[in-house]
């Protein structure tokens, strides 16, 4: 067995999207030759939602280490609120001890708190241990540079410059990369040609069916957000104006349907957009409802900006009559959240940028109503509405090969395959260097 040390600042019971790949993989690593230990930031230093139910999915034999972080009430005065920056010194000290005390074959950074990844280069130099970075989002990106200030993330000026400085330190020295998007890998190869011959792999998060059972078994703990008097179409996830191109055709078709007085089906339709803002509870600004107001459909659209817990999300999707997944206008955006929607086996409508990998994945599954911005038409949306109006008696039957291919278990196999490639490459380099010294 080989030993893997995972760095994931956010981890259960913290409810954060960027720990999901690791969480869903933990039950399967051992079967593929890897013992795992994980280092997270103690949840008391984290200002994100806590969801204790997440702990039910963590195997009991996984050793989890917790590190401290500087309190945000102090660091925020300096403009440093990021958990990565607040925990960086504590990570360095804790992992130094771990690497001195026992042998690890590989370090795996799986997080969107990217500044912590610069420690990979430090540990590699000091302890000779290779490392892999999981690129779930772009780290340094020009996407927001030409956007209005109101649409830029908080403290964008500072984070842009920090990321531009830190990214090359971590990426140039990385021994392998995993990414949810081919586009992210291509951008990094263009910026840092030195990584082109290193193990690289594109893989989304996997479908993890045990989560659906946990949600159903604990449904009494959650308040229902849906109105049973309506046909409820649900999306749970972030909002933003970058999703308007995907949502506008749906609101336009809804507007025309409501204008047809002979068809009362549309009066029974209600769209829910839940958890659309990252702002603190009660402080989120709607980004979807204003679009509905433009189309005169606001009475049939509910936007709840407050985030809800992970299992509340899964339960709400299962309680829906149908589900809707809108994609960003960012061509590199890929929605790993598509798998919970697929696991509900509800009628599904998806509209994405045509370059998003989500389109091909959904079509592999056999989803009927998947469109890009250019191909989506009023007739296509109305076809989905017609499906809801008549009510499909049976749940959709998806392609079994796709179900297996995109399962969390298979995604773990893919990760382990890349880990082994990294070790084999390192071993080959060492052997070559040894031969050269002999000669």
């Amino acid at each position: 067995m080989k030993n893997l040390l995972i760095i994931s600042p956010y981890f259960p019971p913290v409810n954060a999207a960027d720990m999901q790949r690791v969480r869903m993989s933990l039950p399967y690593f051992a079967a593929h030759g890897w013992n795992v230990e994980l280092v997270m930031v103690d949840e008391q230093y984290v200002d994100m939602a806590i969801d204790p139910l997440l702990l039910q999915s963590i195997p009991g034999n996984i050793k989890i280490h917790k590190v401290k972080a500087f309190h945000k009430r102090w660091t925020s005065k300096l403009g440093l609120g990021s958990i990565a920056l607040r925990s960086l010194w504590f990570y360095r000290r804790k992992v130094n001890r771990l690497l001195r005390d026992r042998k690890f074959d590989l370090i795996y950074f799986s997080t969107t708190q990217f500044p912590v990844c610069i420690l990979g280069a430090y540990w590699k130099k000091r302890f000779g241990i290779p490392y892999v970075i999981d690129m779930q989002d772009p780290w340094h990106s020009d996407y927001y540079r030409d956007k209005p200030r109101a649409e830029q993330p908080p403290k964008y000026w500072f984070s842009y410059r920090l990321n531009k400085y830190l990214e090359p330190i971590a990426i140039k020295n990385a021994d392998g990369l995993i990414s949810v998007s081919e586009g992210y890998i291509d951008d990094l190869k263009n910026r840092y040609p030195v990584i082109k011959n290193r193990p690289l792999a594109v893989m989304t998060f996997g479908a993890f069916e045990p989560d659906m059972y946990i949600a159903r078994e604990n449904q009494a703990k959650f308040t229902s957000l849906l109105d049973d008097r309506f046909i409820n179409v649900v999306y749970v996830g972030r909002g933003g104006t970058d999703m308007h191109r995907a949502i506008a055709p749906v609101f336009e078709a809804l507007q025309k349907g409501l204008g047809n007085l002979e068809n009362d089906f549309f009066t029974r339709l209600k769209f829910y957009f839940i958890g659309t803002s990252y702002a603190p509870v009660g402080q989120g600004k709607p980004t979807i409802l204003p679009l509905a107001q433009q189309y005169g459909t606001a009475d049939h659209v509910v936007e709840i900006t407050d985030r809800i817990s992970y299992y509340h999300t899964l339960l709400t999707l299962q309680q829906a009559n149908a589900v809707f997944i809108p994609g960003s206008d960012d061509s590199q955006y890929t929605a790993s959240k598509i798998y919970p929607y697929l696991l509900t086996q509800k009628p599904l409508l998806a509209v994405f940028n045509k370059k998003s990998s989500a389109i091909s994945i959904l079509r592999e599954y056999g989803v009927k109503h998947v469109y890009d911005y250019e191909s989506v038409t009023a007739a296509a949306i109305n076809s989905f509405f017609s499906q809801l109006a008549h009510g499909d008696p049976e749940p959709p039957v998806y392609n079994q090969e796709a179900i297996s291919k995109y399962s969390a278990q298979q995604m773990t196999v893919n990760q382990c395959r890349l880990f082994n490639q990294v070790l084999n490459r390192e071993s080959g380099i060492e052997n070559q260097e040894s031969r050269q010294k002999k000669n």
Side-chain angles (χ1 to χ4, degrees):
M1 296 288 282
K2 296 173 286 290
N3 295 318
L4 177 69
L5 185 64
I6 298 178
I7 307 298
S8 180
Y10 291 133
F11 203 69
V14 176
N15 181 20
D18 67 346
M19 58 81 190
Q20 298 288 18
R21 187 197 296 281
V22 167
R23 182 184 68 86
M24 295 174 184
S25 300
L26 287 180
Y28 311 114
F29 276 127
H32 301 286
W34 287 87
N35 285 323
V36 172
E37 294 186 30
L38 184 141
V39 189
M40 63 177 284
V41 175
D42 192 310
E43 61 269 23
Q44 67 177 302
Y45 300 98
V46 175
D47 58 354
M48 295 189 69
I50 301 297
D51 187 353
L53 289 179
L54 287 164
L55 295 172
Q56 294 186 16
S57 66
I58 307 299
N61 62 337
I62 301 296
K63 185 176 289 187
I64 297 176
H65 308 274
K66 296 185 179 183
V67 301
K68 297 179 180 180
F70 292 113
H71 285 283
K72 194 172 183 179
R73 65 177 177 269
W74 303 112
T75 60
S76 59
K77 295 178 181 179
L78 302 173
L80 302 176
S82 154
I83 193 66
L85 297 177
R86 292 191 291 121
S87 65
L88 197 63
W89 186 82
F90 297 95
Y91 257 116
R92 179 180 180 274
R93 186 176 64 172
K94 176 67 175 181
V95 174
N96 279 354
R97 289 200 298 265
L98 291 175
L99 298 181
R100 282 196 301 262
D101 292 345
R102 51 190 172 277
K103 180 182 182 298
F104 287 93
D105 298 280
L106 185 70
I107 299 173
Y108 181 31
F109 293 88
S110 188
T111 178
T112 55
Q113 296 300 308
F114 291 118
V116 78
C117 297
I118 63 169
L119 290 171
Y122 163 73
W123 290 323
K124 179 179 179 179
K125 183 176 181 180
R126 179 168 179 179
F127 297 99
I129 302 175
Y131 67 96
V132 170
I133 298 177
D134 177 11
M135 299 296 297
Q136 300 179 22
D137 280 329
W139 184 346
H140 172 59
S141 170
D142 292 327
Y143 178 74
Y144 288 102
R145 286 198 70 183
D146 59 352
K147 297 289 188 293
R149 181 168 293 183
E151 295 181 20
Q152 292 177 348
K155 302 175 184 175
Y156 177 70
W157 185 93
F158 173 76
S159 62
Y160 177 84
R161 284 154 181 80
L162 181 68
N163 293 340
K164 186 176 182 179
Y165 171 72
L166 294 182
E167 184 187 78
I169 297 174
I171 299 299
K172 285 182 177 180
N173 291 285
D175 299 279
L177 293 177
I178 290 172
S179 174
V180 296
S181 167
E182 186 76 46
Y184 298 169
I185 293 285
D186 290 342
D187 284 350
L188 292 172
K189 286 193 294 186
N190 289 334
R191 280 207 290 272
Y192 314 111
V194 69
I195 71 170
K196 288 184 177 180
N197 295 323
R198 295 174 190 172
L200 309 170
V202 176
M203 59 185 84
T204 64
F205 291 10
F208 192 59
E209 197 159 357
D211 278 342
M212 309 303 281
Y213 300 127
I214 293 173
R216 287 196 296 269
E217 290 171 359
N218 291 278
Q219 59 182 312
K221 298 178 180 178
F222 303 114
T223 301
S224 177
L225 301 175
L226 310 182
D227 189 335
D228 292 338
R229 295 173 299 174
F230 293 87
I231 299 170
N232 298 307
V233 184
V234 175
Y235 164 74
V236 184
R238 75 161 182 87
T241 56
D242 61 316
M243 292 187 170
H244 282 189
R245 286 190 67 188
I247 299 171
V250 179
F251 285 174
E252 183 177 1
L254 177 60
Q255 178 191 46
K256 291 179 180 177
L258 290 168
N260 182 358
L261 299 180
E262 296 180 2
N263 188 348
D264 68 348
F265 161 74
F266 290 94
T267 65
R268 296 184 287 120
L269 264 182
K270 184 155 287 191
F271 280 82
Y272 287 80
F273 297 84
I274 302 171
T276 55
S277 173
Y278 291 112
V281 174
Q283 298 181 33
K285 294 182 179 180
T287 55
I288 308 303
L289 193 58
L291 182 66
Q293 291 167 343
Q294 292 179 29
Y295 283 93
T297 60
D299 289 343
H300 294 266
V301 174
V302 175
E303 181 174 6
I304 301 172
T305 59
D306 292 345
R307 312 287 286 180
I308 61 175
S309 73
Y310 179 67
Y311 289 106
H312 197 179
T313 294
L314 298 185
L315 182 64
T316 302
L317 292 176
Q318 292 179 83
Q319 292 171 334
N321 299 102
V323 292
F324 173 40
I325 319 178
S328 168
D329 60 12
D330 182 354
S331 63
Q332 295 184 353
Y333 179 82
T334 178
S336 289
K337 62 193 172 205
I338 64 177
Y339 298 109
Y341 289 79
L342 289 163
L343 287 171
T344 67
Q345 294 195 301
K346 302 283 184 176
L348 192 159
L349 171 65
V351 184
F352 281 87
N353 186 304
K354 65 180 180 181
K355 294 183 179 180
S356 172
S357 62
I359 290 179
S360 60
I361 294 171
L362 289 165
R363 287 175 176 164
E364 275 189 73
Y365 267 81
V367 177
K368 295 179 182 178
H369 300 287
V370 184
Y371 309 103
D372 60 55
Y373 299 153
E374 285 74 22
S375 69
V376 65
T377 62
I381 302 298
N382 283 325
S383 174
F384 175 73
F385 286 155
S386 178
Q387 178 184 358
L388 298 187
H390 294 93
D392 279 355
E394 299 292 336
V397 178
Y398 292 137
N399 183 320
Q400 191 60 49
E401 289 186 8
I403 292 173
S404 298
K405 177 180 177 180
Y406 295 107
S407 68
Q409 185 170 4
Q410 182 58 46
M411 292 301 171
T412 309
V413 172
N414 297 348
Q415 290 169 78
C416 292
R417 184 178 297 128
L418 182 131
F419 298 160
N420 292 332
Q421 288 172 358
V422 167
L423 296 191
N424 291 338
R425 181 177 181 274
E426 291 298 307
S427 177
I429 292 173
E430 289 176 1
N431 290 338
Q432 183 178 5
E433 290 177 347
S434 177
R435 287 194 298 269
Q436 289 174 346
K437 287 179 182 179
K438 291 179 180 178
N439 294 335

